[in-house]
Structure formats: structure tokens, C-alpha cells
Amino acid sequence: MISHSPDQAIAQAASLLKQARHAVVLTGAGISTPSEIPDFRSAGSGLWTKNDPMRVASLTTFHRRPQDFFDWLQPLARQAYYARPNPAHLGLARLEQAGLVKAVITQNIDDLHHKASSQNIIEVHGSMRTFECLRCQVSYPLEDFVTTFIERAEPPRCAHCNSFLKPAITLYEEMLPAEAWNNAQWHCEHCDLILVIGSSLETVPAAHLPVFALENNAHLLINTFSPTPLDLEAELVFRQDVVEFISQLVQQVL
């Protein structure tokens, strides 16, 4: 990691992005906090500072204590449903539209990259756009449950067997969706630049994705408030507000 002044660092990041042939972005919860979606580890506000994830967000909890699971999920689902993409999401969509970003890989389940009109989005932890019946193998759009679940907090059930429906997100004790993971890994193994935005790189296996890029000699750029295990491997590390950072980057390259 080389030390630069803030202006020099942004200019260097913009130059690297413009020169890249295959740039990808990995986003974490930090990109969505300006849209009032809480992250997981910030002191006082992070979801996992208030709840033990194994007690509320595991497959075991969904099966054995579904009310506890949905009591945790419903406020988050409501926030995500009504949230709007912030300028950081919109800026990444502009970079993709300009051909400067080939894929947006996200750990987030809030659907904000879709709302921002990004196209090649790889959701390695799934999304809450759909709910699934594990017994009938039937999927339902979240829109079917806006009144009952989002507004009245009634857990969604299958119309065929009345089982509780599981959101199409990766819970603790579950594997990541294979197609999304393989796609993300391919992009990271073939990219020449990876930009990490708002991720502490603590959640595995998603935290390994920048390592695949580094093994391909890709440039690694990181913007997140908290230190990450890969800071020393990164060419540039920023501790800027995510909206400010992406806005400055877009201004320099477009």
C-alpha cells in the first residue's frame, strides 16, 4: 500500500479504473448505510451487535423457531423494501453503463443495485426479492407479501402446503448459491482490477474473492471505514464516505 494525498489517491484510482480491461466491484453493507440500511458490525447500530446471528439468522432458527427468525427478518425486509439507492449505487451503475465495470458482486441482500439499474449483478448471498417453499420448491415474489409481511409482520406461508416460506438469502449453516459463487469467482480470477466498497472482508467465503483477484495480479482498491485483512495487499486504501468516494471517482472517469 502506497501513501498518497486524498486528491492524488482518487486520481490514481481513476487512472487505474480507466486503464483496466476487466474491472469488478465487490460491495458490502457499507454501501447501503447511506440508504438507511444498517450494516452488521458498526458499534451500536450493527445488526450483529444487537443479535447473535446463529440465534436469529440460521437455518436451524428458521426451521425450529420460525417466529424468532421472522421477528428478526421483518424490520430488515421492510427497510430494504422501501429503501432507495443512494448516489454510490447509482454511480456504480453509471460506471457499468460506461463499460468501465464488468460486474458488481455484492454481499448485500437489499436489492439496491437492482433498483439503481446495474445490470450484471452477482448476489453471492441471495436477495429478498423472492421467498421459497422448501417443501414444494415453489417461489413467490416479495410483492405478494407486502401487506401481510412487510406491513403487518405476518410470516409468509406457502399457498399450497402452508409451510413457512424462506427468503432466497443465504442463512448461517447454508452454502452460498453455487451459480452466483462460481460466476463471482470467475470474474475475480479474470479481472485486472477489483474495487472493494463498504466491506470489512470478514465474512467468508466472500472475503476470499479479492484474494482470487490478487492471485491474478489484479490491482486491489479498498474503500471502507474499518480496517480489512487485505489492507496491506491493496494498492490504495480509502476511509472515505462511500457516496463521496464514488461521486469523486465517477467525476474523474466520466
Side-chain angles (χ1 to χ4, degrees), residues 171-183:
L171 303 179
Y172 282 84
E173 303 170 335
E174 285 192 297
M175 301 289 288
L176 299 191
E179 182 177 355
W181 175 253
N182 291 338
N183 197 7

Side-chain angles (χ1 to χ4, degrees), residues 80-92:
Y81 182 77
Y82 288 112
R84 291 294 172 259
N86 64 61
H89 297 104
L90 298 171
L92 290 182

Side-chain angles (χ1 to χ4, degrees), residues 20-138:
R21 297 184 305 277
H22 192 123
V24 300
V25 178
L26 172 64
T27 67
I31 196 172
S32 295
T33 52
S35 296
E36 300 186 358
I37 304 292
D39 64 13
F40 292 91
R41 293 178 175 83
S42 290
S45 61
L47 291 176
W48 299 154
T49 66
K50 300 177 179 180
N51 297 284
D52 177 350
M54 290 303 296
R55 286 193 56 81
V56 296
S58 68
L59 193 61
T60 295
T61 303
F62 172 76
H63 285 302
R64 296 184 180 178
R65 300 188 306 279
Q67 192 60 55
D68 289 347
F69 173 78
F70 286 110
D71 285 347
W72 165 77
L73 181 69
Q74 189 272 341
L76 180 61
R78 191 177 195 280
Q79 286 176 310
Y81 182 77
Y82 288 112
R84 291 294 172 259
N86 64 61
H89 297 104
L90 298 171
L92 290 182
R94 289 185 63 194
L95 293 176
E96 184 189 20
Q97 290 161 8
L100 294 169
V101 167
K102 302 303 182 186
V104 175
I105 305 166
T106 187
Q107 299 170 260
N108 299 339
I109 59 173
D110 54 33
D111 207 31
L112 290 178
H113 287 299
H114 280 276
K115 292 179 182 179
S117 298
S118 287
Q119 297 300 308
N120 191 17
I121 308 164
I122 305 171
E123 295 166 316
V124 293
H125 292 158
S127 88
M128 285 192 285
R129 286 191 307 280
T130 58
F131 281 68
E132 305 165 333
C133 177
L134 300 183
R135 178 178 296 176
C136 299
Q137 299 297 302
V138 176

Side-chain angles (χ1 to χ4, degrees), residues 153-232:
E154 298 172 10
R157 289 181 178 269
C158 177
H160 302 284
C161 70
N162 205 40
S163 296
F164 289 114
L165 298 177
K166 177 187 169 296
I169 61 176
T170 303
L171 303 179
Y172 282 84
E173 303 170 335
E174 285 192 297
M175 301 289 288
L176 299 191
E179 182 177 355
W181 175 253
N182 291 338
N183 197 7
Q185 185 172 348
W186 184 90
H187 275 283
C188 290
E189 289 175 344
H190 290 81
C191 73
D192 53 1
L193 182 147
I194 182 166
L195 173 59
V196 176
I197 302 289
S199 174
S200 61
L201 298 179
E202 293 184 14
T203 301
V204 294
H208 297 320
L209 291 170
V211 177
F212 299 145
L214 288 170
E215 290 172 348
N216 189 47
N217 297 314
H219 300 285
L220 170 60
L221 315 181
I222 297 174
N223 183 57
T224 185
F225 283 132
S226 60
T228 82
L230 293 181
D231 283 357
L232 294 179

